[in-house]
Amino acid sequence: MTQLRTVQVLGGGSAGSSAHVRSLAAGLVARGVRVTVCAPAALDLAYDFGGAGASHVPVARRGDPASVAALRAACAGADVVHAHGLHAAVRTALALGGLRVPLVVTWHTRTEAEGPRGRLLRMLERRAVRAASVVLGTTSELVDGARARGARDARLAPVALPAPCPGSAGEENKSRAELGAVERPLLMAVGALVPDQGYDTLLDAVAGWRDLDPTPLLTIAGEGRERGRLQRRIEADDLPVQLIGRRDDISELLASADVAVLASRWEARSVLAQEALRLGVPLVATAVGAIPELVGDAAELVPYGDAPALADAVTRLLGDPGRRARLAAAGRAQAATWPTEDETIAQVLCVYDELTERGRPQR
């Protein structure tokens, strides 16, 4: 039997989709699959696909002819091509034109745009899912959306991320010292600095706890186009908030926090929520998308855009060590119910085997 060859395609790549591809590549290689990852060079630098045993082919985010041609060349001869995210799926479908290679698309998140841009994105979604042999949605809502846009075969496939490794108390103290929160509560938010992450609401909520003694410090890890505007607001309002940019030690920093905060407009299987619960860090999150299903009773949930409710939930948690301890225990128990990396990889491999079996000539 010949070795199965798969190409994984990433575009811009959210933290969740990039970490998933890294995990998937390592698991598939361990099972004897030959894996190529097509992704921008910056993502390979951040996630080290070669370290997972995969070959990396740098393909820019752009959809210009040269980028599409490079992607087509990388996919030639593959048994299955697997695109992650909308833009990667659209470019991959274009690159595969005329090639008899099955395409799998994992839909990690939904589009949040209105007007002409929203209509364009929905058109691209229809094109992507109709080109796919199988669409894997990370939530039931995404599976329903793929079917509504014409997917031939859409299935639920929650993705598991590598479990974070908790550090020692000494390491946590070191992280708190680095962040400037040795003798004050530390709040942690993680995510791209873009409007849908709800950072304006989060900054509004700071007014609800800034008068506590000692004053909590909110640390936000991530980069994005909103950084300059958010930094100007933090400075103008003298808020106890710091932006620390993109970090490769998120698990260590998060483990040192008293409370994790997620204020997003919509989330699928949020990386922050998963890591917080696994690490036993109490979480306050917006009740949007798949968050309620993901966390169950193991987090404090508030409506999206409701700064007073967010501030109140954080303030009550900071003042109630017993509640924080109960949420920490509940979070670890909830995390134990999620699919494992092995289960995620096995499900994807079953899809690949099914598609390659369909393509084999019948005797």
Side-chain angles (χ1 to χ4, degrees):
M1 181 177 294
T2 59
Q3 184 182 31
L4 181 70
R5 184 192 168 207
T6 177
V7 176
Q8 307 289 318
V9 184
L10 275 166
S14 66
S17 59
S18 299
H20 172 56
V21 169
R22 211 293 182 174
S23 169
L24 188 58
L28 291 172
V29 168
R31 289 161 175 78
V33 179
R34 183 179 165 199
V35 179
T36 300
V37 176
C38 294
L43 289 182
D44 182 54
L45 184 64
Y47 291 92
D48 186 22
F49 301 117
S55 301
H56 172 246
V57 175
V59 176
R61 290 181 173 87
R62 301 185 306 273
D64 58 33
S67 176
V68 173
L71 185 55
R72 181 180 178 86
C75 293
D79 296 297
V80 179
V81 175
H82 191 160
H84 299 262
L86 173 60
H87 295 292
V90 171
R91 285 196 304 148
T92 304
L94 182 61
L96 291 178
L99 298 178
R100 295 179 61 84
V101 181
L103 172 62
V104 178
V105 170
T106 291
W107 201 345
H108 291 267
T109 187
R110 72 178 189 183
T111 55
E112 292 287 349
E114 305 297 334
R117 183 170 183 271
R119 289 192 291 274
L120 173 62
L121 289 174
R122 285 186 284 276
M123 180 193 74
L124 293 176
E125 287 175 347
R126 289 193 293 272
R127 180 175 296 180
V129 301
R130 291 174 182 177
S133 301
V134 175
V135 177
L136 302 176
T138 59
T139 71
S140 300
E141 180 181 349
L142 293 176
V143 172
D144 292 341
R147 289 172 178 158
R149 285 161 177 74
R152 290 173 283 171
D153 185 342
R155 311 177 190 183
L156 179 64
V159 300
L161 300 178
C165 298
S168 66
E171 290 171 329
E172 292 178 12
N173 290 337
K174 181 179 178 181
S175 294
R176 291 181 73 98
E178 177 195 345
L179 296 174
V182 174
E183 297 181 353
R184 62 194 299 192
L186 176 62
L187 311 176
M188 191 86 193
V190 180
L193 304 183
V194 295
D196 288 342
Q197 290 294 120
Y199 289 124
D200 280 312
T201 300
L202 185 52
L203 295 185
D204 289 342
V206 172
W209 64 65
R210 67 182 304 169
D211 293 332
L212 295 176
D213 186 17
T215 303
L217 174 65
L218 171 62
T219 295
I220 302 174
E223 278 295 353
R225 63 182 184 273
E226 292 282 289
R227 179 174 184 133
R229 186 185 66 80
L230 292 172
Q231 186 63 53
R232 289 190 293 273
R233 181 180 173 190
I234 290 167
E235 293 172 0
D237 296 344
D238 193 26
L239 299 176
V241 179
Q242 60 181 347
L243 307 179
I244 61 172
R246 185 178 290 110
R247 298 286 294 251
D248 58 8
D249 57 347
I250 293 298
S251 294
E252 292 85 347
L253 298 179
L254 184 59
S256 70
D258 296 288
V259 176
V261 188
L262 181 67
S264 303
R265 179 179 179 184
W266 193 87
E267 289 281 353
R269 296 182 68 84
S270 160
V271 175
L272 173 61
Q274 290 186 63
E275 291 213 341
L277 266 61
R278 282 172 162 164
L279 290 167
V281 178
L283 173 69
V284 177
T286 44
V288 297
I291 291 295
E293 179 183 354
L294 179 70
V295 304
D297 296 326
E300 295 280 359
L301 298 180
V302 299
Y304 168 72
D306 191 334
L310 182 59
D312 182 62
V314 169
T315 301
R316 283 187 289 105
L317 267 184
L318 290 176
D320 189 346
R323 174 62 175 160
R324 294 204 306 274
R326 290 191 294 274
L327 280 180
R332 292 189 177 99
Q334 179 71 7
T337 70
W338 298 336
T340 64
E341 279 189 277
D342 281 346
E343 290 168 341
T344 298
I345 294 159
Q347 181 180 14
V348 170
L349 192 53
C350 281
V351 172
Y352 294 173
D353 287 342
E354 178 184 330
L355 292 175
T356 54
E357 185 64 31
R358 285 184 200 171
R360 291 191 183 105
Q362 299 298 310
R363 293 182 179 179

